[in-house]
Amino acid sequence: MTQTPEALTTEQFQQAIIDKGQYYHIYHPFHVMMYEGKATQQQIQAWVANRYYYQINIPLKDAAIMANCPDQRVRQEWIQRMIDQDGEYPDGGGREAWLRLAEAVGLSREQVISEELVLPGVRFAVDAYVNFARRASWREAASSSLTELFAPKIHQSRLESWPQHYPWIDDKGYEYFRSRLSQARRDVEHGLTITLDSFTTHEQQERMLEILQFKLDILWSILDALTLAYVHNEAPYHSVTSKRVWHKGIFK
């Protein structure tokens, strides 16, 4: 009879989660290019416009987690994530801060809100994440958010490098990155507690690490799509047209 592997200790499990940071999209060539000051204005604009689609879907992901969660205390804490992103009327929260970033890099908010620049690969990746959160158990969906464990580093890297390399970007556009430095650390503390308490067997821990890798795949795939379109100049249908003929999400 095959013996069931022993579960990791809490410390070992937490370290296994931390070790996943080696696959975080801070190491993607597209992000490295932006960090090193080698990106063009068009490439940065493309990243901001496409990442907007991810930003506006985060509250939907969080709403799905809360809808599936029967624990009032967890919901009371988790709802702060939605408030951070959507704001409280009339404050626009993180969404509004991201639109100010878009304006700072030379885009109009109307163009970004229209989603006309969102690549199909980006849309598919983000939609997959939201759909996962809707279908999965709330504990599994909550654990997928633990890529935030690595987020302060990526926000700090932008705050340190972008003003130096891209002086044409208005400083007001960096408000989102500044706010997420503290918000992400708070969210990590909550999400990590849920994860370490919820996944206690070897099988559960392995599944959670796979879920975290799934989220890392999503973030990496977003930059893959941007690289294809804006580094290699191979946007969807590039071989037959230069127009943006891809769908705009009307079937969602």
Side-chain angles (χ1 to χ4, degrees):
M1 178 179 287
T2 304
Q3 187 175 4
T4 302
E6 291 186 3
L8 299 174
T9 65
T10 300
E11 293 74 20
Q12 290 171 333
F13 186 31
Q14 182 168 338
Q15 187 59 53
I17 293 170
I18 293 172
D19 289 345
K20 283 292 186 179
Q22 65 186 302
Y23 307 117
Y24 194 49
H25 63 160
I26 194 173
Y27 303 113
H28 192 287
F30 196 95
H31 189 274
V32 172
M33 177 183 68
M34 292 192 294
Y35 173 76
E36 293 180 345
K38 298 176 182 178
T40 65
Q41 182 172 4
Q42 183 192 38
Q43 288 167 338
I44 290 179
Q45 288 177 339
W47 177 78
V48 171
N50 278 269
R51 179 78 181 192
Y52 173 77
Y53 187 68
Y54 176 82
Q55 300 301 140
I56 63 173
N57 274 279
I58 291 301
L60 302 185
K61 176 268 298 184
D62 290 326
I65 291 173
M66 290 199 301
N68 292 331
C69 178
D71 190 319
Q72 179 188 21
R73 184 172 179 180
V74 171
R75 295 198 306 269
Q76 287 172 334
E77 290 191 58
W78 204 271
I79 196 172
Q80 185 60 49
R81 298 168 185 248
M82 293 180 62
I83 295 172
D84 289 341
Q85 290 295 335
D86 279 342
E88 293 183 281
Y89 186 81
D91 168 43
R95 177 187 294 221
E96 178 60 27
W98 198 267
L99 287 171
R100 286 196 289 271
L101 172 63
E103 291 175 322
V105 302
L107 294 166
S108 71
R109 64 173 49 217
E110 291 77 19
Q111 184 177 33
V112 175
I113 292 172
S114 76
E115 301 177 13
E116 66 181 70
L117 295 178
V118 178
L119 296 163
V122 173
R123 190 180 296 276
F124 295 151
V126 173
D127 289 353
Y129 184 35
V130 176
N131 288 332
F132 166 76
R134 288 170 175 158
R135 297 193 312 268
S137 73
W138 72 268
R139 294 178 188 275
E140 290 183 339
S143 72
S144 72
S145 297
L146 275 183
T147 50
E148 293 166 338
L149 185 64
F150 321 117
K153 182 178 181 181
I154 205 169
H155 293 314
Q156 188 63 50
S157 74
R158 293 165 186 155
L159 289 169
E160 291 175 354
S161 66
W162 282 31
Q164 174 186 353
H165 295 308
Y166 311 111
W168 49 269
I169 299 178
D170 191 322
D171 184 68
K172 295 178 181 178
Y174 297 124
E175 179 185 339
Y176 181 86
F177 303 143
R178 295 190 186 101
S179 66
R180 287 305 297 167
L181 286 174
S182 58
Q183 291 173 357
R185 292 189 179 97
R186 178 207 64 212
D187 292 346
V188 163
E189 183 177 350
H190 184 216
L192 191 57
T193 298
I194 292 172
T195 299
L196 295 177
D197 289 345
S198 299
F199 304 93
T200 56
T201 69
H202 172 80
E203 183 179 8
Q204 290 171 344
Q205 291 170 344
E206 285 296 302
R207 178 167 172 77
M208 182 271 152
L209 292 172
E210 275 295 293
I211 289 170
L212 186 57
Q213 185 62 56
F214 163 72
K215 173 64 181 303
L216 290 164
D217 293 349
I218 286 169
L219 296 174
W220 198 273
S221 295
I222 289 172
L223 295 183
D224 280 348
L226 283 163
T227 298
L228 195 62
Y230 291 96
V231 176
H232 300 299
N233 298 315
E234 295 182 354
Y237 309 105
H238 72 281
S239 61
V240 293
T241 181
S242 60
K243 297 179 181 179
R244 302 188 196 107
V245 297
W246 51 83
H247 79 286
K248 306 300 190 295
I250 56 175
F251 306 108
K252 189 173 180 181

